[in-house]
Amino acid sequence: MDKAKSLVDKKGASGPFHVNNVQSPRGLNGLVVVAANGSCSTSNAFGLSTGPSSSTFEMHHLQRGEEKDCNGSPAKRSRLRRRTESVKRNRPPFPWFGMDIGGTLVKLVYFEPVDITAEEEQEEVENLKSIRRYLTSNVAYGKTGVRDVHLELRNLTMCGRTGNLHFIRFPTQAMPRFIQMGRDKNFSSLHTTLCATGGGAYKFENDFRAMADLELLKLDELDCLIRGLLFIDRVGFNGHPECYYFQNPSDPHSCVKKPCNLGNHFPMLLVNIGSGVSILAVYSENNYKRVTGTSLGGGTFLGLCCLLTGCETFEEALEMASKGDSTNVDKLVKDIYGGDYERFGLQGSAVASSFGHMMCKEKRDSISKEDLARATLITITNNIGSIARMCAVNEKIERVVFVGNFLRINTVSTKLLAYAMDFWSKGQLRALFLEHEGYFGAVGALMELLKTSEDL
Amino acid sequence: MAECGRVDSNTSSHTMDKSITLPPDEIFRNMENAKRFAIDIGGSLTKLAYYSTVQHKVAKVRSFDHSTKEAAGDKLYEISVQEEVTARLHFIKFENAYIETCLDFIKDHLVNTETKVIKATGGGAHKFKELIERKLGLKVDKEDEMTCLIKGCNFVLKNIPHEAFVYAKHADSEFRFQTTNPDIFPYLLVNIGSGVSIVKVESEDKFERIGGSSIGGGTFWGLGALLTKTKRFDELLQLASKGQHSSVDMLVKDIYGGSYACLGLTGDLIASSFGKSATADKEFSNEDMAKSLLHMISNDIGQLACLYAKLHNLSRVYFGGFFIRGHPVTMHTITYSINFFTKGEVQALFLRHEGYLGAIGAFLKGAEEDNPNQYSWGENYAGSSGLMSVSPDMNPMQRARSGTFDMLEMDRLDRQLVNLPLLQDPSSYIPDTVDLTEDAQAREYWLSCFEEALDGVVKRAVASQPDIPEAAERAEKFRQKYLHKLQTLRHQPFAYGSLTVRSLLDTREHCLNEFNFPDPYSKIKERENDIALKYYEKAVKSLEELSWEDRQFALVRGVLAGNVFDWGAKAVSEVLESNPEFGFEEAKRRLEDRPWLVDSFDQWLERLKGPPHRCALFFVDNSGVDIILGVMPFVRELLSRGTEVVLASNSGPALNDVTNSELQILTERIAAMDPVIDSALREDRLTLVQDGSSSPCLDLSRLDKVLAMLVRERQTDLVIIEGMGRAIHTNYYAMLSCESLKMAVIKNSWLADRLGGKLFSVVFKYEVPAGKPH
């Protein structure tokens, strides 16, 4: 746990990413909220707190009793009026959420309006206000919820409103507690539509209904993924491009990350690496097909790492992998042929057999956890690269876009994918990456919410 | 990636086991004459190949000279048993632990060799190079592994019928063998060693590694050993076969609560391999982890294979390598994966002799000057162990401790074998009528039937060599061997490809030859030929007295009655044994009256009223009455109509079937009595050819090349197949591109019952291919 924190901290310090004490344009608003809501201070991040405050979502100031006072009250009336006005303006009522419930992680995007008028502020029900305050004033929620502050999109205009888009994730395992919170805080009284995608939208649909009286608008995850991705690419990343690639991918010394614009250059092969992997051929925003998928994905990397090294988190696994040497674990072509296998044009440094050295007991006994973590990462990454490349060739597509949370803080994999695409295709294929890696499904779900209202 | 180096064997393989004593009768046979060696040393198994010559006895028949005819008494022709030298390829597979013992054995038994070099391949070749050179005094010459593999693969696909099979775990028969397609190229070979190599093979000499993966057998073994602390590959597979992957893998239903219907992904599909071990805070059983790992690797390889097959537009994909080798577990998961990813468009094919490909290829590389590819080869059922003889699932303890030697022997055939050019579709032709691997009831009957008949065969074998005292001992060895084969087949019907009546008969012939009983029926055949010849003129005369229409019927009846004289048929051999007076007229009386069980005689008669055929190819059956009083008059009539006739008989002896050399003599004798036959012979309108076979059955996809040429030259437009073995057990459903006539008497009550007839029911099947009316 501590390691995870330090890693993120390090990450935050090392680049343009800031996790703690963010100075955002939302400025005052954020500070006020922090002040008003001391119990959810940043010290609670990464689950350092125990006891009753250890659940993912804690909103201490919200009282269940509030609900009773609302019946027939001025608050309810104003809520109704607000809703009517929103609809008039072809705009759904706040709060605006998009949710993507995956196999391992739940991704939540939240639009925080910053153009709230005084009148609106006054009319805003306490429930809604507290949600906004809670989400925007914290970077961690309970033990496992995290807001990726460095990804926040500021001063974004959506549906005529200006605001900040927040990116939050927490483990799917915490879903029951999340739903329970929705019930406790009487989320259903807000009359918002909860747009959800990912498998969990289906799996937890009944729980949302039964436990929290919430009706989910279930959306197809691939539709959402593409829509969200194209949207974020269009609006950019706070004035910078969302997309990047690696220049000189085949040379570790001069390989550098370069921003670029994805644009509407169809077709593209979209490789979404979550717990598992889906590969899509995308011909336009509304025309795509799922080419194939593989079960060897991020879940496999983490699952195997947990079993092999005893680690517990993705961050921990990546940290170990960054220090390891996979050639102690993998059998290379040169381990077998003493050099290149010229008959087939295979370089001596190519992996001939992943974990091949581990067939031998002496080597098993002398291996380090870091080496094992590294080998696992390399194995999974190479395999995804290989399948993606074959699909690109079969589908005759030259641009391969890699997304998904497996790539989060994972430069080993992104660089390896860039290299693999370039090397095996002799420069024909280009690997592209996006800064908001795993959040496009959730963004797509949010857009569906806004679109639904426009259709009214 | 490259299969290469296979594996670092486990430590036990390094310790040489010298304690075992090798049974020389059983393995390393014919080592005395061995020349040309090749060795393929893998991670745990060594495959040795050598070429040797086998001296065995063959029966020869020879006409007596006119001058010495008096001295020969009343003998029709001279039968002699001669020594003949034939070429045979031996392949032996054993655990690396025995390599030193084996090399010592080879050294001690190798006498007549001029060989200086041993071809070597496989990852272990370099490790044992010094040992081999020191022990055998041969220079180790290393050959590229993949080249050997492909060469070996081409060789078995071309030469061994039923080499490839589809594996279906839950079907009635797990193994579905593929018919030999004469055109084996192009295909994809996915070799799963420690890594995976995907090779596209376009012709004998042209192949290309189009891809591969580092996730292969080594990954299963290495990761499996780390996860489960289980050291041996076989044990890991056993663990996997007992596990439940769903406790470790994240399935679609774990994410969706059910299926992801709009993408057609079922709930049980694996969404993320090992996905649960990332989140669930619990211990996983070794079995479950091994199973999950097996699925992960099999699915991954299957997916890549499909992507490459699609990209290169190939539908035949063979899987090999130590990951696959005889393991039902991996064959099942790979098959499952291929079916899933291609939706049935591509079938995963496996090879019976997959483990030998490298050794075969290395051998062929060394034997290039002998042009082994210009010959046809045949699997010797007597000397080969059969599929899965050392399968861990069949015999886990045996495999674990080993001492098991698996063998493959292939005979170089005298004649080059090709397709009958008149097959309608060579690629879909299946000689055998019933596949006993799929028909349990029929299998049980025939296995018992052959077991019961064994006493008689042994007796006959001993009787055929009255002057040789040790014949009884050899006959007993033959009995043991064949009995053992039958027992093996009872438990593993798939051991030699599809089990058929033909394969049971052929195995018996191979075993008889093995123990130097080349022709147990030679004397019976001679006697019967002699008797029948005496009636020939009378038979022809009585036929000539009939009206044309009556004669046509009498000729057909003659062929059928003649076909009753069959020592291969249980019911008949009992009659012939007990009643030596049983004659042609007696046989005619036993025949079923018309309408026969299958009766297209009327159509045949109509056809005969039309123009004569250009040329008829006649596959004959038994000696004696059958050929002389049944077939010859029928042939005579065809010749008289102006039809040329090609008489095809066996190259080597099988039961009481007439052989080509016997038929040469008989035809001469008949020609001396019959001017019609005589002039036809002289004018080349009647030609005798050998069919290239020594089987009581008939495989139209493996026939003598000369026969095939002749058939084409003569523009053959009628094929006649006679006898139960050739027209019912085989070829009953064979579709020919010209007119065909299949004639047989059912001399087995069980078979008659099955076909809805009774003993001595008649099959007379005249067929005209669609679109060729007459």
Side-chain angles (χ1 to χ4, degrees), chain A residues 89-260:
Chain A
R89 280 177 244 141
N90 282 342
R91 199 180 291 150
F94 290 120
W96 292 354
F97 281 117
M99 184 151 64
D100 176 4
I101 313 169
T104 311
L105 284 176
V106 180
K107 282 76 67 177
L108 192 68
V109 294
Y110 168 63
F111 182 84
E112 173 211 5
V114 293
D115 54 358
I116 300 178
T117 57
E119 189 194 359
E120 270 181 323
E121 177 90 41
Q122 207 187 340
E123 284 183 4
E124 195 175 25
V125 292
E126 199 54 36
N127 245 4
L128 186 58
K129 202 172 289 177
S130 65
I131 288 171
R132 178 159 53 88
R133 285 172 182 167
Y134 172 64
L135 290 177
T136 55
S137 62
N138 290 299
V139 293
Y141 314 95
K143 248 186 186 176
T144 47
V146 173
R147 180 155 61 88
D148 283 312
V149 182
H150 66 279
L151 292 180
E152 182 177 327
L153 294 179
R154 295 179 293 269
N155 291 318
L156 192 67
T157 303
M158 290 184 95
C159 246
R161 298 299 301 258
T162 303
N164 302 321
L165 197 56
H166 298 276
F167 297 87
I168 297 160
R169 62 187 148 88
F170 60 92
T172 307
Q173 278 178 312
M175 212 44 211
R177 272 179 286 157
F178 179 81
I179 297 171
Q180 200 162 8
M181 185 208 72
R183 182 190 64 186
D184 293 348
K185 311 311 170 199
N186 198 17
F187 202 79
S188 62
S189 67
L190 294 172
H191 294 286
T192 183
T193 311
L194 203 48
C195 284
T197 186
Y202 297 80
K203 186 180 176 183
F204 296 104
E205 183 185 17
N206 284 334
D207 293 345
F208 269 103
R209 190 183 296 132
M211 291 170 65
D213 192 27
L214 281 167
E215 209 55 50
L216 294 187
L217 179 59
K218 303 192 299 294
L219 301 164
D220 181 81
E221 62 174 296
L222 302 181
D223 289 344
C224 288
L225 170 69
I226 293 166
R227 195 175 306 127
L229 184 150
L230 294 174
F231 172 75
I232 299 287
D233 181 64
R234 221 160 31 232
V235 299
F237 186 12
N238 298 328
H240 301 284
E242 166 71 12
C243 184
Y244 64 90
Y245 69 101
F246 287 97
Q247 205 172 41
N248 307 318
S250 298
D251 179 6
H253 300 294
S254 58
C255 171
V256 280
K257 183 175 164 179
K258 289 271 175 186
C260 65

Side-chain angles (χ1 to χ4, degrees), chain B residues 687-708:
Chain B
T687 317
L688 308 185
V689 290
Q690 49 179 309
D691 61 9
S693 154
S694 305
S695 165
C697 293
L698 179 64
D699 179 353
L700 295 177
S701 66
R702 280 168 76 82
L703 287 177
D704 195 284
K705 200 174 179 179
V706 176
L707 183 152

Side-chain angles (χ1 to χ4, degrees), chain B residues 580-734:
Chain B
E581 298 302 304
F582 185 85
F584 195 35
E585 295 310 313
E586 180 82 18
K588 279 182 191 164
R589 275 194 293 278
R590 295 243 178 158
L591 283 185
E592 176 189 29
D593 289 326
R594 284 194 68 194
W596 296 318
L597 183 59
V598 178
D599 192 339
S600 35
F601 178 74
D602 293 341
Q603 289 91 313
W604 171 244
L605 192 67
E606 263 326 289
R607 172 64 189 88
L608 289 180
K609 289 173 185 165
H613 296 92
R614 266 190 311 271
C615 174
L617 169 66
F618 200 136
F619 289 98
V620 301
D621 189 10
N622 304 307
S623 303
V625 175
D626 190 341
I627 182 73
I628 295 164
L629 302 182
V631 174
M632 278 303 186
F634 192 94
V635 167
R636 188 177 190 274
E637 182 76 14
L638 286 174
L639 291 166
S640 309
R641 280 169 55 80
T643 302
E644 292 181 354
V645 178
V646 175
L647 273 185
S649 52
N650 269 3
S651 302
L655 292 169
N656 65 326
D657 292 0
V658 65
T659 63
N660 182 56
S661 44
E662 288 160 353
L663 190 56
Q664 300 276 2
I665 298 170
L666 298 181
T667 313
E668 276 168 34
R669 294 294 292 264
I670 291 168
M673 298 183 267
D674 185 344
V676 177
I677 299 290
D678 187 49
S679 64
L681 271 180
R682 275 187 283 109
E683 289 158 22
D684 229 13
R685 284 183 289 114
L686 173 61
T687 317
L688 308 185
V689 290
Q690 49 179 309
D691 61 9
S693 154
S694 305
S695 165
C697 293
L698 179 64
D699 179 353
L700 295 177
S701 66
R702 280 168 76 82
L703 287 177
D704 195 284
K705 200 174 179 179
V706 176
L707 183 152
M709 275 162 48
L710 202 64
V711 159
R712 224 180 264 119
E713 265 171 28
R714 301 271 163 109
Q715 297 177 299
T716 304
D717 54 356
L718 173 65
V719 173
I720 304 171
I721 306 176
E722 185 214 0
M724 209 161 73
R726 291 177 180 75
I728 293 182
H729 290 320
T730 53
N731 300 311
Y732 190 69
Y733 299 116

Side-chain angles (χ1 to χ4, degrees), chain A residues 273 296-306 308-309 314-326 329-330 351 354-355 369-385 405-417, chain B residues 214-215 223 296:
Chain A
I273 317 172
L296 284 83
T300 314
F301 163 65
L302 184 53
L304 279 174
C305 269
C306 290
L308 294 172
T309 70
F314 182 66
E315 289 79 3
E316 224 182 318
L318 278 183
E319 171 73 10
M320 274 200 276
S322 68
K323 293 178 197 153
D325 180 359
S326 61
V329 180
D330 295 339
V351 184
S354 296
F355 287 85
K369 289 182 173 186
E370 285 75 14
D371 291 347
L372 289 173
R374 178 74 166 208
T376 310
L377 186 62
I378 299 294
T379 302
I380 300 293
T381 306
N382 268 332
N383 192 60
I384 293 168
N405 267 322
F406 173 67
L407 301 174
R408 192 171 65 82
I409 57 169
N410 185 358
T411 42
V412 172
S413 291
T414 46
K415 284 188 176 174
L416 187 54
L417 286 169
Chain B
S214 68
I215 299 183
L223 248 182
M296 174 180 111

